[in-house]
Amino acid sequence: MLGAALAAAVMSSPASAQISDDAVKIGVLTDMNGPASTPTGQGSVTAAQMAVDDFGGTVLGKPISVIVGDHQLKPDIGAGIARRWYDTEQVDLIVDVPVSAVGLAVQNVANEKKRLFIAHSTGAADFHGKFCSPYAMQWVFDTRALAVGTAQEVVKRGGDSWFFITDDYAFGHSLERDASAVIVKNGGKVLGAVRPPLATPDLSSFILQAQASKAKIIGIAGGPPNNMNEIKTAGEFGVLKGGQQMAALLALITDIHSLGLPAAQGLLLTTSFYWDMDDKTREWSKRYFAKMNRMPTMWQAGVYSSVMNYLNAVKESGTDEPLKVAAKMREKPIEDFFARNGRLREDNLMVHDLVLVQVKSPEESKYPWDYYKVLAKISGEDAFGPPDPACPLVKK
């Protein structure tokens, strides 16, 4: 009888035997000291650990651990760490990975090793397009969603003439291209563009050209450090006081904090997450603030959301086998403090609602980090668009 009981006990808990290496290990691969370290970095590590702690520290009776790697924004270093983690350190899931070049390099390794990777701060739309993978998910944003979301909503609100200041590399060009298509489609005009090289020290001539265009909207198509320097320089040249508005196609709340409201006021931008949007966002963000002493970016909040959804999928599927977990994550809607009307699509893009916001003036801000006025909700379907037929996972 005792033998039968033991056999029954073993038979009744097959899930515990399906966790590889008797542990679930999550690797946060990020930029710990470089220009992306504030919006990702230690904040992303903290968010991942918060998810593990809130989940209870174990799944299916096995411990969950978080490890950290610094890819220094270099694709070869990122790929090397990912390969070591998957091969010798039994990492089940890699998260975060700022900048698209590193994200795509890590995605290649995830494909090769047949392990999971969730990108949060990788924006290339090709990630879920021609390079899409059954092992790699994109959770927070892509360049199309931010560019299209901002351009569409701003044109609807009367901002129908644009001039772009575009970072002269692939990321900037893709932002300008996607936004321009939407502007024209919605009846607006693109009056021109200038293309400063990355990390240009003096942006004055570019701002003056944008100002002279008389466009209603100056679109900032690029990322750090140019985007924040352009906004700051525009403030010094009185662009906003002259009646023009600026729209950033990628800006984060930590950027606004660094700039300060006097320089950033009036800026339009689209985001996947704002800490002060409702009770759910405030509750989680205040817990995060207690650990980091600053509010989370959309990327950091997205890390928590994806790790929690991953762990729930492991629990519900009874295994950490990558494709079974990914399939389980696609089964249910994703509705948490981070995502509204979210779902993980067949191309492994997490589609969810975004918001168009405007940076408040110093007089409008009533308390620390009270930076945004929410102007409009943008549905995930509108922002992200349909799946790219170039993705082999998409049913033709």
Side-chain angles (χ1 to χ4, degrees):
M1 287 178 65
L2 179 59
L6 287 170
V10 170
M11 291 292 287
S12 68
S13 58
S16 62
Q18 294 184 40
I19 295 294
S20 58
D21 309 301
D22 286 330
V24 170
K25 189 177 285 189
I26 298 165
V28 182
L29 185 53
T30 189
D31 173 26
M32 292 301 289
N33 300 293
S37 60
T38 299
T40 62
Q42 183 56 48
S44 294
V45 178
T46 296
Q49 190 62 55
M50 285 174 68
V52 170
D53 294 344
D54 288 350
F55 194 80
T58 64
V59 59
L60 300 173
K62 305 300 181 182
I64 310 163
S65 61
V66 174
I67 64 171
V68 183
D70 183 358
H71 62 52
Q72 302 170 46
L73 303 182
K74 296 177 181 176
D76 57 336
I77 293 177
I81 293 171
R83 184 167 281 106
R84 186 183 79 243
W85 279 0
Y86 288 142
D87 275 347
T88 65
E89 299 192 35
Q90 287 76 51
V91 167
D92 297 287
L93 169 68
I94 291 176
V95 299
D96 200 18
V97 193
V99 306
S100 294
V102 186
L104 291 167
V106 171
Q107 184 190 44
N108 286 337
V109 180
N111 274 344
E112 177 190 333
K113 302 300 178 184
K114 297 181 168 52
R115 297 289 183 93
L116 290 183
F117 164 39
I118 304 178
H120 304 84
S121 38
T122 291
D126 284 344
F127 193 88
H128 61 86
K130 63 183 178 181
F131 298 134
C132 76
S133 158
Y135 297 97
M137 306 170 198
Q138 199 164 17
W139 201 263
V140 175
F141 84 118
D142 68 8
T143 52
R144 183 194 187 279
L146 295 192
V148 169
T150 303
Q152 180 172 282
E153 292 302 318
V154 170
V155 172
K156 279 183 187 176
R157 302 171 77 86
D160 56 3
S161 62
W162 287 62
F163 187 94
F164 284 98
I165 303 174
T166 301
D167 281 6
D168 195 12
Y169 64 112
F171 176 71
H173 294 180
S174 68
L175 287 172
E176 181 191 333
R177 181 187 65 243
D178 291 341
S180 296
V182 172
I183 292 162
V184 173
K185 181 182 176 184
N186 284 273
K189 295 180 180 178
V190 177
L191 304 182
V194 287
R195 297 186 172 86
L198 182 64
T200 300
D202 184 1
L203 292 156
S204 302
S205 66
F206 302 102
I207 298 298
L208 287 170
Q209 289 178 74
Q211 196 171 20
S213 75
K214 304 298 183 185
K216 292 179 184 177
I217 307 294
I218 297 173
I220 307 297
N226 277 17
N227 59 350
M228 293 302 108
N229 290 335
E230 286 154 4
I231 294 162
K232 184 178 180 181
T233 306
E236 293 167 356
F237 278 82
V239 168
L240 294 170
K241 291 177 182 175
Q244 291 173 296
Q245 280 191 302
M246 301 192 78
L249 302 184
L250 173 62
L252 300 154
I253 196 165
T254 47
D255 298 327
I256 306 307
H257 185 73
S258 176
L259 272 175
L261 293 183
Q265 62 183 309
L267 181 70
L268 299 165
L269 62 104
T270 297
T271 183
S272 293
F273 175 82
Y274 176 42
W275 78 269
D276 203 14
M277 198 164 65
D278 58 31
D279 288 343
K280 286 198 294 187
T281 58
R282 282 188 285 272
E283 188 276 331
W284 184 83
S285 299
K286 287 176 180 176
R287 290 200 294 125
Y288 174 95
F289 185 91
K291 297 176 183 294
M292 290 298 300
N293 202 35
R294 62 174 178 259
M295 286 301 176
T297 63
M298 61 178 178
W299 296 338
Q300 292 157 339
V303 167
Y304 179 102
S305 169
S306 66
V307 169
M308 186 61 80
N309 276 275
Y310 166 78
L311 293 173
N312 275 313
V314 171
K315 180 182 177 181
E316 290 171 15
S317 58
T319 179
D320 62 355
E321 198 282 311
L323 295 183
K324 290 181 180 177
V325 174
K328 182 63 68 173
M329 291 174 75
R330 287 191 293 272
E331 282 182 10
K332 293 182 179 178
I334 297 166
E335 194 77 30
D336 56 20
F337 79 94
F338 170 77
R340 302 292 182 277
N341 301 307
R343 63 186 179 94
L344 188 61
R345 218 163 54 180
E346 59 186 320
D347 56 355
N348 275 342
L349 173 69
M350 205 277 274
V351 174
H352 54 282
D353 295 345
L354 308 178
V355 287
L356 178 74
V357 302
Q358 184 171 33
V359 177
K360 291 183 174 183
S361 68
E363 296 73 31
E364 291 171 314
S365 179
K366 304 303 181 190
Y367 41 86
W369 295 85
D370 176 25
Y371 292 161
Y372 293 163
K373 290 183 287 190
V374 177
L375 301 182
K377 184 184 85 170
I378 306 163
S379 79
E381 303 303 324
D382 283 346
F384 291 97
D388 185 341
C391 170
L393 302 175
V394 174
K395 293 173 184 173
K396 302 295 189 286

